[in-house]
Amino acid sequence: MTDAPKYRSYSQFEEFLHNFYSLSQTARIHSDNHTLVLEGIEKFSESINSCMDSDSLTFKISNDQLYVGDEKLPYNRTTKNLFDNIIRYFDARVLEGVRLLEAVKQVSAKEILAFMRLLDMSGQQPEPLAWLKDGLATENILWVELIKKTERPQDEESYKSKAERRERARKDYTYTKASVEEVAQKIKEGKGEVGVRKTVRVVQDMVTNLIEDDEVYSAISTLRVFDDYTYTHSVNVAMLSMCIGRRINLSRRNLVNLGMCALFHDLGKIEIPNEVLHKKNKLDDRELQMIQEHSLNSSRLLLKLKASPDSKARILVPMFEHHLKYDLSGYPHADWKKPLTLFGKIISIADKYDTLTSSRAYRKSLLSPDRALGYMFDRAGKDYDPVLIKVFINIMGVYPVGTLLRLDNGELALVVSSPSRDFAKRPLVCILEKDDDGSYIKKEIINLDERDSETDSYIREITETYHPSDLGIQPVQHIFSG
Amino acid sequence: MQKADTKKQQEISAATSLSDKELQGARQVINIFVLAWKNYGLYPEDHVNTKRSLENLVTAFNSFFTDHEDLRLIVEKDRLLCGPEIIYEVSPEAPSEDIITLLYRDGIKWIEFQEGLPLEEIAAFYKIAYKYRLFAEETEGDIVTALMDEELEYIDFKAVDIFWQDLMIMDFSQLPPPAPPPEEVADQEEKDQSRETEEPEGDGIVARSIADPSIGVAQLELSNLDYVTLQQMVQEEENWVITEDLVEALMIIIKSQTEQEKFEAVLGFISEEVVETIELEKFDLLALLFQSLHKLFSPKSPTVQDWQRSRIDRFFQEQSKPEVFQLICDKLLQLEIIEMDKLKALGQALIYLSPELIHFLLPVILQSRSHELQKMVSAVIVHLSRRDIGPLEKIAKKHGTEMGGKLLAILNRLQGDRVNRILFKMCDHPSDTVRGKAIKELVDRDPKYAQRLFSLIDDPSKEIRTSILAAIAKHKSGGLENLLLNYLKENSAQKDPAHILACYEALGRCGSDNSIPFLSKILLSRGWNSFMGSGKLIFREGAAIALALLDTPEAKDVLQKASKSRFKVIRKAFDGTKRLTVSGDNTND
């Protein structure tokens, strides 16, 4: 369950990729003894040493995403160009990736340069990969393994690994929800201090898995169970919050804190009768007060958890704040003049997004995920932190996973993957077809980025978006199947 | 060699072949590992035996790493395996806190000690295992969660699900379709308004898609400034310690609790935070916490219920535990290298605690050499003693001797009969300096006290005699005048002439014309006693000085007569008064 990887900042990997790509370009232009080339080799070697902590270092492209080791590197403004360039560079060489073996640490600058030149020149060959392999053999370069690009979007290994990650996410979802329910139940029963080790453990595992692949967690957070809203909502908010936390490089420990905080953010709702929580009609003053006190009560109930004072102190304020807006309006209506904490701001975004895209007894229509994001974006700076909202949109893409699309050919499509590039304006979707019994079945997966080879225009366009619940579709059923 | 018999181990066996040397090395390390654990349980963490056994263990690991790679151990019930070989078995007589049993209990499947393992990490590992050695149903964590949290660099491990083995993993294909929005919801508009603060965007809202062409990609991209902002936010969060926000949130939470049980829960947490803030030396927050609570539940606050107020009073009493006090005092002494802001903040916090704290604070004054610290602690003691002088009374009774001057400095800043009683006791202090100061303070408080202390005029210590006379001389007092007159009448012949002279001087300062007959007689008499030797000259001189200090017309008449006397001895006594004029000392001050 737990592999306890060492946490490493993205920047280290980014630097490695930057040094790799720079050297490839410098070596193309300059001679062997040029200062820039020599400096480039030195920097590349240094970054190999700092990134390689096992017997090899792999960097590869999978599903349009760059991975170093098992970690997916996020697209952002500063890395976008670099990543795009590397993807193109590898594409041109029919390479999915490169594995550097430990021996690379001992090789001379000359050997590194020889490899870089071969790699670069292979791009001009009719059979790049075969040519490169021959070249490496001739030069006796044994410290590099080439990972061939496969015809399918995902090769067997990455497919398996994706399936494994989905399976782990499914387990995490199940365990997390069960642990929150258990804690809430014990508190309801008034059992004194309630232990949280199960929850801590599952959140720690989730962090481990999320560091490897956060997309699967944003995807699984599309799960909606109307009758089980409180708990699924808590898990969804926790997962989305941790995705944001991961993206902004929170430490592992703080990701756990954030996850715990988000998981229990609505704990106070256990004191509200169900008939009030699910009331379709107007709430009376007393009922409204109960609703509005829940964030405050969550903070109070948190104190019943058996955790260190430090941990509790760490997550109390964000729980208290999660219905306070960026401009400090909202509730609890208290004399609160402090700017919201980072956790508070993150949780309020994740909470609102999940709420906006969830069916509630008192709401007649739902916002599709892209409209929910639009709604929140328009309130950035007033209701939400403007920078964090952008981070959130960067994670989700403009068509978040789970968005239902109507395509210009009349097909119905569900977003199954939302690559970070260009805000996923053209995501990966699966076509859904109505079955005889009225349910929808999953058909092929297509990339909306695909262009007509003759006209160079996109093959399919999006004409409309829906919330999947509008058509009774449970996105995870399709995203996590097959 | 023993081999594991499980299928899993057979697989491992196939993959891993270990040399005898490696197994022998692993066994040696594990024996030391287990022994170190036993020592860890027997001795305190900082005990020399604990330290030594951990050092031995690190040496054993280093020796192992010289010839072999990282040491990965598979944890099974009651045994450890290295590759396919069993290298350690828990004895049936071993206690349940055996280290291998604990690792297995918490779900550790394998644990790996890596080359470079430092002493700090192995100590941290043992500390964690020791903390969670006892099984508890409701606990904050276990060995696995704590190891994950600690992120040890040279100790890796894998844990398995031990909590959820019977739980059915959610089958997404079996999920019910999500509920579509309800068809009919009465008074939709009105209802949404009622949830205004929760879901203002419930129904009928128009929201543009984030993909809308009116929103440019540039608006969504994170700018360089955004990255800097994010970095700052993250940095602040990573460096987070208890903040004012927490205190303020706690105040809002506790203020809203109208049920005793809930109120109690919040207060319980605040108590924990008190200790935490002291440990972290966040004295500004401690002060804020106490001040806020005090203010929030002040008797002046009309919304506060009686039970809340009395509970808060009790809260402050409860903080007055010896362990809390000791912690405070330890911190205080560490503040010798003065951090003025911290010191000031701590002072502001301590005044809310029980006066029992004084028992701990007074020794701090004695131990500390810092003037600023002494000043702050004294101020706190004064503040606390104003609420209850009891602790100070007890200290004065038990430790008045060693406390001496420090105690007196504090008493001087306090008022009341009970304080005065302590001051009277201080007049019996072994130190003459302390006694002298106590006398002065008492008489300053009330001149009448000089009469109670009059007997000290015959104290063996010259310093005390001087002190009491100085005290007597401070104020005009008929009572003291009579006492002094009687004293001089009865004792002049037996006492030290210099002392008697001082008594006359004191009489001159505290007396009145009532003394003139006596003084006139001593100064001007020519009877048989005028031939009693040189000692008598000093009495005449004393009387002359007393008259000069009285400085009344009647006194001046007598002195006039003395100046014109036919007797040299009388004139000479009068001449003694001239030095008063020369020095200008003719006032009571």
Side-chain angles (χ1 to χ4, degrees):
Chain A
M1 185 166 89
T2 304
D3 248 326
K6 310 280 180 286
Y7 179 79
R8 199 196 302 269
S9 67
Y10 280 136
S11 58
Q12 206 172 353
F13 290 150
E14 283 168 12
E15 199 175 327
F16 165 73
L17 292 174
H18 172 77
N19 290 336
F20 162 78
Y21 190 68
S22 294
L23 180 59
S24 75
Q25 301 306 301
T26 318
R28 179 182 293 173
I29 311 166
H30 299 292
S31 62
D32 288 10
N33 294 327
H34 195 280
T35 320
L36 287 177
V37 173
L38 297 174
E39 278 176 7
I41 295 171
E42 195 178 340
K43 282 183 183 171
F44 183 51
S45 300
E46 278 171 10
S47 54
I48 291 172
N49 286 333
S50 63
C51 291
M52 186 185 279
D53 61 1
S54 62
D55 52 4
S56 67
L57 177 65
T58 304
F59 56 114
K60 63 177 184 178
I61 299 143
S62 177
N63 220 4
D64 267 358
Q65 304 285 347
L66 255 169
Y67 286 79
V68 177
D70 287 330
E71 284 194 31
K72 184 173 79 178
L73 305 190
Y75 267 80
N76 57 45
R77 187 188 174 88
T78 51
T79 60
K80 182 178 179 297
N81 285 341
L82 173 68
F83 289 7
D84 284 348
N85 286 336
I86 292 176
I87 289 170
R88 273 197 293 272
Y89 189 83
F90 275 29
D91 275 352
R93 286 152 186 82
V94 202
L95 272 177
E96 185 174 292
V98 167
R99 185 174 296 118
L100 301 175
L101 305 179
E102 202 173 12
V104 70
K105 291 181 179 175
Q106 268 80 47
V107 302
S108 64
K110 195 178 164 188
E111 273 187 88
I112 287 180
L113 189 59
F115 162 66
M116 293 306 288
R117 290 208 186 286
L118 284 171
L119 184 63
D120 192 54
M121 285 157 67
S122 68
Q124 279 87 53
Q125 310 306 318
E127 296 287 337
L129 195 62
W131 185 89
L132 181 56
K133 275 183 177 172
D134 285 348
L136 292 175
T138 310
E139 294 285 337
N140 201 24
I141 295 174
L142 304 173
W143 42 268
V144 178
E145 285 178 5
L146 304 173
I147 305 167
K148 185 185 171 188
K149 189 175 179 183
T150 48
E151 291 300 316
R152 292 192 304 140
Q154 300 161 330
D155 69 5
E156 205 60 43
E157 192 186 354
S158 71
Y159 176 78
K160 192 179 159 202
S161 137
K162 184 126 196 158
E164 276 171 6
R165 289 202 288 270
R166 282 177 181 167
E167 185 59 17
R168 282 201 311 234
R170 201 159 65 91
K171 272 188 181 176
D172 283 345
Y173 201 103
T174 309
Y175 296 162
T176 311
K177 183 170 157 289
S179 74
V180 177
E181 281 183 88
E182 192 179 302
V183 168
Q185 190 56 37
K186 283 181 180 171
I187 289 179
K188 263 186 190 172
E189 289 165 7
K191 285 192 170 173
E193 273 199 316
V194 177
V196 289
R197 73 167 163 164
K198 286 184 187 178
T199 320
V200 173
R201 198 136 151 188
V202 72
V203 171
Q204 284 177 336
D205 285 337
M206 201 150 57
V207 168
T208 302
N209 299 335
L210 189 126
I211 285 171
E212 202 175 302
D213 181 2
D214 54 3
E215 192 181 3
V216 72
Y217 287 90
S218 58
I220 204 169
S221 70
T222 58
L223 193 147
R224 301 283 180 270
V225 183
F226 184 79
D227 293 333
D228 210 5
Y229 172 75
T230 304
Y231 299 119
T232 51
H233 170 69
S234 296
V235 179
N236 293 341
V237 172
M239 288 179 168
L240 291 173
S241 297
M242 286 193 288
C243 286
I244 300 174
R246 169 61 177 151
R247 196 57 68 96
I248 62 172
N249 280 342
L250 274 181
S251 67
R252 186 189 164 80
R253 185 174 295 185
N254 261 334
L255 281 174
V256 173
N257 282 331
L258 176 63
M260 292 294 286
C261 185
L263 214 44
F264 292 120
H265 79 282
D266 267 348
L267 201 55
K269 281 191 175 170
I270 64 170
E271 292 181 336
I272 304 173
N274 275 339
E275 51 272 27
V276 176
L277 280 178
H278 305 305
K279 188 174 177 179
K280 287 183 178 178
N281 298 319
K282 187 185 177 186
L283 300 174
D284 64 29
D285 289 347
R286 174 75 197 118
E287 290 165 338
L288 187 62
Q289 193 189 345
M290 286 165 92
I291 294 282
Q292 292 184 348
E293 279 175 356
H294 89 267
S295 50
L296 214 136
N297 289 333
S298 293
S299 300
R300 173 176 50 76
L301 290 174
L302 158 79
L303 306 179
K304 281 196 159 191
L305 303 184
K306 191 165 174 55
S308 69
D310 188 46
S311 303
K312 288 196 265 194
R314 188 71 201 70
I315 63 178
L316 182 137
V317 177
M319 279 170 106
F320 170 86
E321 292 171 330
H322 82 269
H323 276 288
L324 282 172
K325 294 174 181 174
Y326 186 66
D327 65 0
L328 299 182
S329 60
Y331 63 88
H333 301 296
D335 192 18
W336 189 258
K337 299 277 185 281
K338 305 259 175 197
L340 302 187
T341 59
L342 177 60
F343 283 13
K345 288 189 278 199
I346 291 174
I347 293 170
S348 78
I349 288 173
D351 179 50
K352 182 56 71 180
Y353 177 77
D354 192 71
T355 307
L356 282 173
T357 53
S358 295
S359 254
R360 308 299 294 273
Y362 48 82
R363 188 183 296 141
K364 203 160 71 178
S365 65
L366 283 169
L367 287 178
S368 61
D370 59 310
R371 286 184 188 279
L373 288 181
Y375 176 87
M376 292 171 75
F377 179 74
D378 286 340
R379 279 152 187 79
K382 184 189 175 296
D383 292 1
Y384 312 104
D385 183 290
V387 181
L388 286 171
I389 271 290
K390 284 202 244 178
V391 172
F392 188 57
I393 294 166
N394 273 263
I395 295 168
M396 304 303 280
V398 293
Y399 295 112
V401 173
T403 309
L404 204 54
L405 309 174
R406 177 71 67 191
L407 305 179
D408 57 356
N409 60 4
E411 285 174 322
L412 198 61
L414 181 73
V415 178
V416 293
S417 178
S418 198
S420 306
R421 281 194 295 164
D422 298 325
F423 299 95
K425 282 198 164 176
R426 297 199 159 269
L428 216 61
V429 298
C430 71
I431 302 296
L432 297 182
E433 236 178 56
K434 206 163 190 174
D435 206 1
D436 295 339
D437 62 359
S439 65
Y440 287 86
I441 50 170
K442 183 180 177 182
K443 305 301 277 186
E444 76 271 31
I445 290 179
I446 54 169
N447 192 340
L448 293 185
D449 206 16
E450 208 180 328
R451 290 172 189 264
D452 186 301
S453 57
E454 285 179 13
T455 62
D456 200 36
S457 56
Y458 291 113
I459 295 172
R460 297 172 184 83
E461 292 288 352
I462 299 164
T463 57
E464 211 170 338
T465 61
Y466 308 99
H467 192 287
S469 297
D470 289 341
L471 298 177
I473 291 168
Q474 184 71 262
V476 289
Q477 276 177 345
H478 303 289
I479 299 166
F480 280 72
S481 72
Chain B
M1 241 180 260
Q2 265 183 305
K3 285 203 186 290
D5 47 6
T6 61
K7 190 183 170 195
K8 199 187 303 170
Q9 290 319 311
Q10 284 164 6
E11 286 165 13
I12 294 167
S13 174
T16 326
S17 172
L18 298 167
S19 68
D20 286 350
K21 194 182 169 196
E22 187 167 2
L23 283 172
Q24 196 186 345
R27 282 200 178 91
Q28 278 171 359
V29 173
I30 291 314
N31 286 335
I32 298 170
F33 177 77
V34 173
L35 185 69
W37 172 249
K38 281 177 187 160
N39 278 336
Y40 202 89
L42 285 174
Y43 304 103
E45 200 180 337
D46 55 355
H47 192 276
V48 64
N49 287 357
T50 314
K51 285 181 180 170
R52 195 176 298 142
S53 59
L54 292 181
E55 282 162 7
N56 289 343
L57 180 57
V58 172
T59 309
F61 270 121
N62 286 338
S63 164
F64 180 85
F65 295 139
T66 313
D67 299 324
H68 314 289
E69 293 189 341
D70 305 335
L71 178 58
R72 179 178 289 204
L73 302 163
I74 295 149
V75 184
E76 290 194 348
K77 189 168 170 22
D78 296 333
R79 63 187 193 177
L80 272 183
L81 291 92
C82 184
E85 305 292 340
I86 297 166
I87 58 161
Y88 180 80
E89 281 186 285
V90 179
S91 146
E93 290 85 37
S96 58
E97 292 101 53
D98 180 274
I99 183 76
I100 313 304
T101 311
L102 295 183
L103 297 178
Y104 180 75
R105 182 200 68 189
D106 283 0
I108 290 185
K109 194 174 167 188
W110 55 254
I111 185 158
E112 184 176 86
F113 300 94
Q114 296 169 352
E115 192 175 349
L117 177 70
L119 180 67
E120 298 74 42
E121 282 212 6
I122 198 78
F125 172 80
Y126 276 34
K127 190 172 185 171
I128 287 169
Y130 192 75
K131 182 178 176 188
Y132 294 104
R133 70 194 184 285
L134 301 175
F135 178 78
E137 191 61 47
E138 297 301 336
T139 170
E140 61 182 278
D142 55 23
I143 295 173
V144 173
T145 57
L147 284 175
M148 290 279 278
D149 198 40
E150 196 71 26
E151 295 183 65
L152 299 175
E153 200 178 336
Y154 295 89
I155 300 178
D156 202 358
F157 66 96
K158 179 167 183 161
V160 291
D161 298 335
I162 50 165
F163 303 122
W164 310 105
Q165 283 157 345
D166 302 328
L167 187 70
M168 188 83 83
I169 304 296
M170 288 172 89
D171 181 353
F172 291 163
S173 67
Q174 299 301 313
L175 283 173
E183 288 292 319
E184 285 181 25
V185 178
D187 302 327
Q188 188 67 43
E189 200 176 320
E190 189 185 17
K191 169 216 44 97
D192 274 342
Q193 281 169 2
S194 77
R195 302 209 182 213
E196 190 183 345
T197 48
E198 192 198 17
E199 320 286 348
E201 51 291 308
D203 191 41
I205 58 159
V206 180
R208 60 175 174 165
S209 165
I210 194 70
D212 194 283
S214 60
I215 303 173
V217 168
Q219 287 177 273
L220 301 177
E221 274 185 341
L222 288 156
S223 66
N224 289 337
L225 184 63
D226 290 339
Y227 279 110
V228 173
T229 309
L230 281 171
Q231 229 168 16
Q232 282 170 349
M233 286 200 275
V234 170
Q235 204 57 46
E236 279 172 24
E237 203 65 35
E238 295 294 342
N239 298 334
W240 188 92
V241 280
I242 299 168
T243 61
E244 277 180 34
D245 303 20
L246 176 69
V247 175
E248 289 185 23
L250 282 170
M251 290 308 119
I252 291 170
I253 294 167
I254 198 167
K255 193 179 168 187
S256 67
Q257 304 310 318
T258 51
E259 292 173 35
Q260 292 200 27
E261 192 196 342
K262 293 175 180 173
F263 191 86
E264 198 67 45
V266 184
L267 217 46
F269 177 71
I270 292 175
S271 295
E272 290 174 344
E273 283 308 295
V274 167
V275 177
E276 188 84 355
T277 50
I278 297 170
E279 276 174 351
L280 293 173
E281 295 183 12
K282 301 282 290 177
F283 301 132
D284 50 342
L285 288 176
L286 186 68
L288 179 67
L289 189 69
F290 286 169
Q291 277 163 7
S292 306
L293 267 183
H294 189 75
K295 193 175 161 192
L296 204 59
F297 297 98
S298 137
K300 289 173 192 164
S301 173
T303 53
V304 175
Q305 298 178 43
D306 288 343
W307 67 264
Q308 287 176 318
R309 197 171 295 131
S310 62
R311 183 62 192 89
I312 291 297
D313 288 344
R314 198 145 46 83
F315 163 82
F316 282 112
Q317 286 296 325
E318 284 163 2
Q319 300 318 303
S320 306
K321 292 177 281 196
E323 54 268 36
V324 175
F325 286 167
Q326 197 53 57
L327 187 61
I328 290 170
C329 292
D330 292 347
K331 291 287 176 193
L332 270 170
L333 287 168
Q334 286 166 18
L335 289 178
E336 284 232 44
I337 304 157
I338 294 300
E339 291 173 71
M340 284 307 292
D341 290 345
K342 278 190 179 179
L343 199 60
K344 197 175 162 194
L346 183 56
Q348 284 166 352
L350 296 184
I351 57 172
Y352 293 97
L353 294 179
S354 158
E356 291 299 318
L357 179 62
I358 295 170
H359 288 290
F360 292 81
L361 290 179
L362 261 173
V364 171
I365 298 184
L366 293 178
Q367 287 172 52
S368 170
R369 288 178 194 165
S370 153
H371 174 66
E372 292 301 332
L373 179 63
Q374 290 180 359
K375 204 170 137 188
M376 183 281 273
V377 174
S378 299
V380 172
I381 295 174
V382 168
H383 198 285
L384 296 174
S385 296
R386 280 182 186 139
R387 277 166 40 204
D388 180 8
I389 193 69
L392 211 54
E393 281 176 334
K394 282 182 196 161
I395 290 169
K397 198 173 175 183
K398 276 191 176 175
H399 307 288
T401 306
E402 60 260 37
M403 297 292 175
K406 306 286 183 194
L407 186 60
L408 199 66
I410 290 161
L411 290 168
N412 287 355
R413 294 165 67 184
L414 295 164
Q415 297 297 325
D417 291 344
R418 291 170 72 180
V419 176
N420 295 345
R421 274 202 286 276
I422 302 172
L423 281 170
F424 272 111
K425 281 181 189 154
M426 299 295 282
C427 294
D428 295 330
H429 194 273
S431 156
D432 289 343
T433 311
V434 171
R435 294 172 70 204
K437 285 181 180 169
I439 292 164
K440 181 178 181 301
E441 176 62 26
L442 278 165
V443 177
D444 281 349
R445 285 169 183 232
D446 187 348
K448 284 179 197 155
Y449 287 148
Q451 292 182 52
R452 277 179 66 180
L453 295 167
F454 191 79
S455 61
L456 294 175
I457 201 167
D458 274 335
D459 196 271
S461 160
K462 187 185 172 194
E463 196 177 341
I464 297 305
R465 294 197 303 271
T466 308
S467 293
I468 190 68
L469 285 171
I472 289 168
K474 274 205 159 183
H475 306 277
K476 292 285 181 194
S477 162
L480 285 169
E481 185 180 23
N482 288 334
L483 285 169
L484 268 175
L485 281 171
N486 290 336
Y487 181 79
L488 287 169
K489 283 173 191 169
E490 289 168 16
N491 295 291
S492 292
Q494 297 91 41
K495 302 293 177 184
D496 169 24
H499 172 63
I500 294 299
L501 189 62
C503 290
Y504 276 109
E505 193 173 325
L507 179 64
R509 292 189 193 277
C510 76
S512 65
D513 283 350
N514 293 340
S515 298
I516 290 178
F518 169 74
L519 294 172
S520 173
K521 188 177 164 190
I522 296 293
L523 178 61
L524 303 173
S525 67
R526 288 183 289 119
W528 61 272
N529 56 1
S530 59
F531 303 101
M532 284 178 67
S534 61
K536 284 298 158 190
L537 173 62
I538 209 153
F539 298 157
R540 285 185 203 276
E541 277 181 6
I545 287 167
L547 287 162
L549 290 169
L550 282 173
D551 199 26
T552 63
E554 289 87 341
K556 283 176 180 167
D557 284 350
V558 177
L559 286 172
Q560 183 70 17
K561 283 178 190 168
S563 68
K564 292 176 180 171
S565 174
R566 287 186 289 124
F567 296 99
K568 190 182 171 187
V569 69
I570 294 173
R571 287 199 309 277
K572 196 176 175 187
F574 169 76
D575 288 345
T577 63
K578 287 176 184 169
R579 68 177 164 87
L580 292 178
T581 315
V582 170
S583 66
D585 186 9
N586 57 355
T587 68
N588 282 338
D589 298 329

